[in-house]
Amino acid sequence: MVEHVRIFCDQLLKQSPVNHDGWTQATNVKDWCNYLAFDIASEFIFGQNFHLLTSPENRFIIDAVLELNKRSGAYAQSPTLARFHFDLLWPPTALRLLRKSLQWRGFVRERLQSQDENPKGLFYKLLGVKDPETGEPISYNELMAEAQLLQVAGT
């Protein structure tokens, strides 16, 4: 975690060079704080760093998780919305959610297919979990939901 904070501070300094009076310009650090939180959480959850602090490549993950949470929150408040797929009434929103969902699922699927012999992270502990009633392993959809929940809870 200390290494992530060091990178965070380095990136902030790069974004706001010191002025002639020794101070930096005011900087909105909201996005950088999100990158820090996701990088720390991803190491804990998936045993792998998203590198959001140093590369824009995976920064879509923040929007993907937040968009999916909005949808999940609405459906949790009113399950009828889920049953009738009310999000399809607003095609641009539905399309954006679908794209974000596919990106997130792709990321998680990639982690599931990892050839790492000793995977690290809390998420991999779920792979051996069995339903206490049926004895069946946790389903793919449940793994996806747990990955999203863990990432959100971690940030």
Side-chain angles (χ1 to χ4, degrees), residues 39-94:
D39 278 352
I40 291 171
S42 67
E43 284 231 23
F44 177 72
I45 295 164
F46 295 107
Q48 184 172 357
N49 187 341
F50 288 148
H51 299 287
L52 302 186
L53 285 168
T54 56
S55 170
E57 183 180 348
N58 290 325
R59 290 181 183 166
F60 73 87
I61 292 172
I62 291 175
D63 289 335
V65 171
L66 294 177
E67 289 289 334
L68 293 170
N69 284 343
K70 289 177 191 176
R71 180 178 185 228
S72 297
Y75 285 175
Q77 295 297 315
S78 180
T80 304
L81 293 175
R83 192 170 341 128
F84 295 110
H85 301 283
F86 275 97
D87 55 339
L88 297 178
L89 292 175
W90 297 276
T93 301

Side-chain angles (χ1 to χ4, degrees), residues 59-136:
R59 290 181 183 166
F60 73 87
I61 292 172
I62 291 175
D63 289 335
V65 171
L66 294 177
E67 289 289 334
L68 293 170
N69 284 343
K70 289 177 191 176
R71 180 178 185 228
S72 297
Y75 285 175
Q77 295 297 315
S78 180
T80 304
L81 293 175
R83 192 170 341 128
F84 295 110
H85 301 283
F86 275 97
D87 55 339
L88 297 178
L89 292 175
W90 297 276
T93 301
L95 187 59
R96 188 178 69 239
L97 280 171
L98 177 62
R99 275 197 302 266
K100 299 293 184 186
S101 176
L102 291 174
Q103 286 176 316
W104 175 249
R105 285 177 174 265
F107 176 82
V108 175
R109 188 173 25 260
E110 185 180 302
R111 299 302 168 263
L112 285 171
Q113 295 170 348
S114 170
Q115 300 299 316
D116 191 352
E117 291 181 16
N118 294 312
K120 298 176 184 132
L122 183 60
F123 179 71
Y124 294 102
K125 304 291 185 207
L126 295 174
L127 297 180
V129 171
K130 297 192 184 288
D131 183 310
E133 294 175 14
T134 66
E136 294 292 317

